[in-house]
Amino acid sequence: MNRRRRRGDAEPGWLRGTPPPRWVRTGTAVALVVLSLVEHFTPAKELGFFLAALPPVAAFSYGALGTSVFAGLVLLLLGVQSLGVGHARGGDLATVAVVGLMSVVIAWVRRRRDAQLVSVRTVAEAAQLAVLPPVPERVGPVRCSGLYRAAQRGTLVGGDLFDVREGPYGVRAVVGDVQGHGLAAVGTVVSLLGAFREGVLDDPGLGAVAARLDRRLVEDSAGVEHAELFATAVLLEFPAGAPDRVRIVSCGHPPVLRLRGAGITPVDCEPGPPLGLGLAGLEPPQVTEAVLEPGDRLFVHTDGVTEARDEAGEFYPLPARLAGLAGSADLVAALWQDLSDFTRGPRDDVALLLLVRA
């Protein structure tokens, strides 16, 4: 399985601070040539003053130097009457010169802002990827494929989370969905992932890991009026020395789906309360153990998938669509594409995780 990652590839590169496409840059030069030729050979049309609009256009795709070249060419074509393009004099020519100068200033400011944007975005992406790094293709004996898409445009982390880690008690995975979405939920995601990674190393039981996550949210809510901080999550454990077993704890999360051949069935698991209510400290969540057959795949998702709707208001039929895509070489990527086509872009955070015990 290929490692997959959500990440802002819906935006064109030139909208993220990288150089614009060649056609954007060459379009201004082509317009300059075409307008000049048309005015030269058909002087009655009086199209020369359209040239005065080219320096502001050039400021959006060229730097200060390139824009000044366009401004100079426009002044030359409009001011030198022997060229047969323009007939600007006095105040008209001064107006064109001022427009060109302002265009150069705009181009200079835009380039500085672009450089700042690229710098800030690079730092933000590094910080967000440190919070939620890509899922490795393999963690111990478990092959993984994950995908994440944040609802808030331009961000890499939102209100969903997943992680797969190997520890002394086997390979453990978590998929969660915290209250809210977007940047407002990132702090909760950080707390849960930190607690999970500690639990992978320290807690011998999967129920104890869930209790640790619950306690983390309770502590984060302490002293905050009307915090109402909670999260749904499902934890999985592939125990060391038991290649045909998987243990699951569900904390108010959508069920884990098992793909066995062409069949799609939810794994029977006693659902527990969401994390953050403090109930796990009173009664640890129930751990369900299921038997895995060779080739079984476990698919875990957040409710951003099952609650997604099309334009008619119909919910996305995950089991049926998943069964139809089960033979895909990259199931996670195929499902995401199908979900995007169905909804024309989900409006909630989406996390997908596919796990196979090798």
Side-chain angles (χ1 to χ4, degrees):
M1 283 178 285
N2 296 327
R3 179 170 62 188
R4 303 290 301 175
R5 190 63 169 175
R6 57 180 164 101
R7 301 311 190 219
D9 47 8
E11 293 178 291
W14 64 285
L15 293 180
R16 301 200 305 267
T18 55
R22 182 173 297 178
W23 64 266
V24 176
R25 296 171 60 84
T26 58
T28 310
V30 171
L32 177 68
V33 174
V34 171
L35 286 173
S36 299
L37 291 176
V38 171
E39 179 63 20
H40 179 76
F41 290 107
T42 57
K45 292 186 178 295
E46 289 292 338
L47 299 176
F49 282 100
F50 280 101
L51 292 170
L54 294 182
V57 174
F60 288 98
S61 54
Y62 287 88
L65 179 60
T67 304
S68 64
V69 170
F70 275 98
L73 288 174
V74 169
L75 280 174
L76 181 67
L77 291 170
L78 294 180
V80 179
Q81 299 182 20
S82 61
L83 296 176
V85 176
H87 309 283
R89 293 187 181 90
D92 292 337
L93 199 59
T95 300
V96 174
V98 171
V99 171
L101 180 60
M102 292 177 62
S103 301
V104 172
V105 174
I106 291 172
W108 179 77
V109 173
R110 182 191 62 80
R111 277 294 175 90
R112 285 180 59 86
R113 290 290 180 87
D114 284 351
Q116 293 174 351
L117 175 63
V118 170
S119 178
V120 170
R121 187 180 180 92
T122 300
V123 173
E125 288 186 352
Q128 293 181 79
L129 287 174
V131 171
L132 197 62
V135 175
E137 293 181 5
R138 188 181 182 111
V139 179
V142 178
R143 288 183 290 141
C144 316
S145 180
L147 181 144
Y148 187 102
R149 291 293 186 271
Q152 186 166 337
R153 188 177 180 87
T155 61
L156 306 182
V157 179
D160 289 357
L161 61 102
F162 57 39
D163 200 6
V164 184
R165 299 275 167 160
E166 185 175 20
Y169 309 105
V171 175
R172 289 171 172 172
V174 63
V175 175
D177 183 359
V178 309
Q179 178 194 21
H181 57 79
L183 294 177
V186 173
T188 307
V189 169
V190 172
S191 294
L192 287 176
L193 288 175
F196 170 74
R197 290 160 186 170
E198 292 177 358
V200 168
L201 299 176
D202 299 337
D203 296 327
L206 196 60
V209 179
R212 179 189 289 264
L213 301 182
D214 179 73
R215 186 170 62 251
R216 178 70 269 164
L217 290 187
V218 171
E219 291 296 325
D220 289 349
S221 300
V224 180
E225 187 177 1
H226 306 301
E228 298 181 356
L229 187 61
F230 66 90
T232 67
V234 61
L235 294 96
L236 299 93
E237 178 183 85
F238 298 87
D244 61 342
R245 295 287 189 274
V246 62
R247 296 173 184 146
I248 300 174
V249 169
S250 176
C251 301
H253 201 77
V256 177
L257 300 179
R258 174 166 46 201
L259 287 75
R260 178 174 291 171
I264 310 291
T265 57
V267 179
D268 291 331
C269 181
E270 185 68 26
L275 302 171
L277 304 181
L279 301 179
L282 302 175
E283 183 178 355
Q286 182 175 340
V287 179
T288 299
E289 186 170 277
V291 177
L292 293 176
E293 295 183 3
D296 280 0
R297 293 176 288 175
L298 298 176
F299 183 81
V300 196
H301 61 91
T302 56
D303 61 10
V305 179
T306 51
E307 294 183 0
R309 303 184 186 218
D310 63 8
E311 294 180 340
E314 297 293 328
F315 288 104
Y316 182 71
L318 176 60
R321 296 297 184 111
L322 194 59
L325 299 169
S328 303
D330 190 339
L331 177 59
V332 169
L335 184 71
W336 166 252
Q337 184 60 53
D338 185 65
L339 177 65
S340 300
D341 294 340
F342 182 86
T343 62
R344 297 187 181 275
R347 295 175 177 82
D348 195 4
D349 298 324
V350 171
L352 310 174
L353 185 62
L354 187 66
L355 302 171
V356 181
R357 179 70 180 255

